[in-house]
Amino acid sequence: MPKDVTKKENKEKKEKKHFFKDFKAELKRVIWPTPKQLINNTVAVITIVLITAVIVFALDFIFKTMDDYGINKLRSFVDTNNEQVQNNTTNQEAQNTMNNALNNEATNNEQTNATSNSQVNNNTVNE
């Protein structure tokens, strides 16, 4: 057992050394920018970030303004129309109820008059 453990430890040490050698070799192959290129690229990135931030801010402001003035006014307009429709429906239902009551009363009066007339006619015929 101890021999296996030491072999693994030695193998891991060799792999670590090999990794760092490869890492160092790769870093030597990298083409590093000159200070002038570094400054130019940094300025370009910062400029693009600022332009993007301004665009996002402007769009956010526009949409917020549209929400405050456009959509809320549209929502209040729709709510007002819904209230008017509900009021009209309620008024129409009340009017229909009144008409039905008047029609029922008229029908009852006609039936009462018809019954009275038939009784009068029956009384006349019987005499």
Side-chain angles (χ1 to χ4, degrees):
M1 279 265 212
K3 289 182 182 180
D4 290 338
V5 172
T6 56
K7 283 183 183 179
K8 286 183 181 179
E9 287 175 1
N10 289 337
K11 190 176 182 181
E12 287 177 6
K13 286 181 183 178
K14 287 181 182 178
E15 286 177 1
K16 286 181 183 177
K17 286 181 183 178
H18 186 66
F19 171 78
F20 285 112
K21 279 185 179 181
D22 289 343
F23 182 73
K24 190 174 180 182
E26 284 293 324
L27 284 178
K28 287 182 180 179
R29 289 188 215 158
V30 171
I31 299 172
W32 295 99
T34 64
K36 186 177 179 181
Q37 288 174 331
L38 183 65
I39 291 171
N40 287 341
N41 290 344
T42 303
V43 169
V45 168
I46 291 173
T47 304
I48 290 171
V49 167
L50 290 176
I51 290 171
T52 304
V54 168
I55 290 171
V56 168
F57 175 77
L59 289 174
D60 183 50
F61 182 75
I62 289 168
F63 289 136
K64 179 66 176 161
T65 304
M66 284 174 44
D67 184 43
D68 289 343
Y69 294 109
I71 294 174
N72 287 336
K73 286 192 178 189
L74 181 64
R75 189 175 294 143
S76 67
F77 176 74
V78 169
D79 289 342
T80 303
N81 283 345
N82 285 341
E83 287 175 10
Q84 288 176 352
V85 167
Q86 287 175 351
N87 287 340
N88 288 343
T89 304
T90 305
N91 290 342
Q92 194 171 20
E93 288 173 355
Q95 190 174 7
N96 287 342
T97 305
M98 288 295 292
N99 287 340
N100 288 339
L102 291 174
N103 287 339
N104 288 340
E105 188 176 321
T107 305
N108 288 340
N109 286 341
E110 288 175 9
Q111 288 175 350
T112 305
N113 288 341
T115 306
S116 297
N117 287 340
S118 64
Q119 286 177 352
V120 168
N121 288 342
N122 285 340
N123 287 338
T124 314
V125 171
N126 289 336
E127 292 176 359

